[in-house]
Amino acid sequence: MMKIAICDDCIEDIKTLEKMILRNTEFDQKAEFGEFLNGETMLDRYEAYDVIFLDILMKGKKEGTEIAEKIRSRDEDVLLVYYTAYDYPASSICTTNPFRYLIKDACPQKTEAELRKILKEAEKRQKLPCLTVANKGKKFVLRPQEILYIAILNKGTAIYPTQEKTAEICKMLNQENVPREYFLKSAERLDQYYEQLKDYGFVYGKKSYIINVCYITARMKDAVRLQDETILSIARSRKKEFDDQYSRYWRMQGQ
């Protein structure tokens, strides 16, 4: 299922874009659309989208570029496409790393050709897992490369982001101080996350946590040190399995 968000204060423009997408792709009814008339509503109901089409000039408190910055704070990899009636200077939009810039009144054949490229790229990126986690009423999307480790917490889990991702989250939450140790609570079980992430470098260190091996900076006798200086011990019963998976992951990276 391709999840596509369209944020535009004109419902007619939203419907026009949806029809073009369905007419020019192979997805047809496999596409699920989220329609938003302003950026604030989209941010409040944010999910892990494959593509976001965003108007730049909308009625509301924030322009599209401001909404795009907040999207990037939550999800730095989502395919972001500006869909607008105005030709803005590149300097005002490039910081949000848009994938494409579509002009509403452009030649239909050109727009539809661009749409095919956009959705082909989205389909390619769909293979990567992503975790949607809520914190203080806001939703954040984390990719495997943004997570240091995940540990059991009560009946759910605690997800520990990288220092860079933590800084982005704190900025989004208007927190001036970035804590050294920070985690997001999730109701998902650890074994469920392991099934999603085991092919992306995550290995059990103990039955209570899985570690992203790409952030291991030192392997000690009974523990590992991560990029942020966190020390995690490796259970004796899992030591051989851990080392085997650790070595296999890096061999695969070298291929």
Side-chain angles (χ1 to χ4, degrees):
M1 177 72 72
M2 181 72 67
K3 296 191 71 173
I4 301 169
I6 305 176
C7 185
D8 194 311
D9 61 357
C10 178
I11 190 64
E12 289 80 9
D13 287 346
I14 290 176
K15 296 299 184 183
T16 296
L17 181 57
E18 288 178 358
K19 289 177 182 177
M20 282 196 292
I21 290 170
L22 295 175
R23 187 168 63 243
N24 289 278
T25 70
E26 300 173 358
F27 301 109
D28 199 24
Q29 298 305 316
K30 294 180 182 178
E32 178 183 313
F33 294 105
E35 301 176 348
F36 304 98
L37 295 175
N38 60 72
E40 290 86 353
T41 302
M42 182 179 67
L43 291 172
D44 287 342
R45 302 175 186 174
Y46 198 79
E47 298 180 33
Y49 293 107
D50 297 297
V51 192
I52 297 176
F53 291 90
L54 181 64
D55 193 4
I56 291 182
L57 188 60
M58 294 182 286
K59 298 174 184 177
K61 298 178 182 178
K62 297 179 177 65
E63 287 195 352
T65 51
E66 294 178 75
I67 298 299
E69 289 174 1
K70 292 185 178 295
I71 290 170
R72 282 288 174 242
S73 295
R74 302 187 187 195
D75 187 353
E76 64 179 24
D77 293 323
V78 67
L79 214 57
L80 180 62
V81 178
Y82 283 118
Y83 178 60
T84 181
Y86 304 95
D87 192 358
Y88 283 78
S91 59
S92 66
I93 62 170
C94 64
T95 56
T96 55
N97 193 27
F99 182 72
R100 285 290 191 277
Y101 189 105
L102 301 181
I103 300 295
K104 292 180 179 180
D105 294 329
C107 169
Q109 289 82 359
K110 181 178 179 180
T111 299
E112 292 172 2
E114 288 296 300
L115 283 174
R116 288 191 287 272
K117 293 177 184 177
I118 291 164
L119 289 153
K120 185 176 181 180
E121 176 66 19
E123 185 180 29
K124 185 168 64 176
R125 295 191 187 188
Q126 264 192 322
K127 297 175 183 178
L128 289 173
C130 59
L131 282 57
T132 303
V133 187
N135 187 34
K136 294 185 179 180
K138 300 182 185 299
K139 292 182 180 179
F140 298 90
V141 177
L142 284 80
R143 270 30 182 206
Q145 68 271 20
E146 296 173 325
I147 302 169
L148 294 171
Y149 69 103
I150 305 175
I152 291 175
L153 179 67
N154 300 324
K155 294 183 179 180
T157 47
I159 301 173
Y160 291 81
T162 61
Q163 292 168 305
E164 293 80 9
K165 189 64 179 180
T166 296
E168 289 180 6
I169 293 171
C170 289
K171 181 180 178 182
M172 183 67 193
L173 296 173
N174 297 316
Q175 293 181 209
E176 294 185 4
N177 297 321
V178 179
R180 181 184 176 279
E181 188 175 66
Y182 182 86
F183 63 84
L184 297 168
K185 294 180 182 179
S186 172
E188 293 288 326
R189 299 196 315 270
L190 186 64
D191 61 336
Q192 293 174 316
Y193 280 139
Y194 178 70
E195 286 302 312
Q196 294 180 58
L197 299 169
K198 63 183 180 181
D199 295 329
Y200 299 90
F202 282 77
V203 181
Y204 273 102
K206 287 186 174 182
K207 66 178 181 180
S208 57
Y209 51 75
I210 56 176
I211 304 167
N212 189 343
V213 299
C214 77
Y215 289 118
I216 294 175
T217 57
R219 175 71 171 96
M220 297 164 279
K221 182 180 178 182
D222 298 311
V224 293
R225 179 187 296 119
L226 303 185
Q227 184 187 64
D228 67 341
E229 302 300 322
T230 296
I231 304 293
L232 296 174
S233 59
I234 305 302
R236 186 176 300 177
S237 61
R238 292 185 179 271
K239 192 173 181 181
K240 185 179 185 304
E241 179 187 359
F242 180 88
D243 286 337
D244 288 347
Q245 291 189 49
Y246 180 51
S247 299
R248 183 163 59 249
Y249 172 80
W250 285 113
R251 283 198 304 270
M252 291 177 64
Q253 298 307 302
Q255 292 177 358

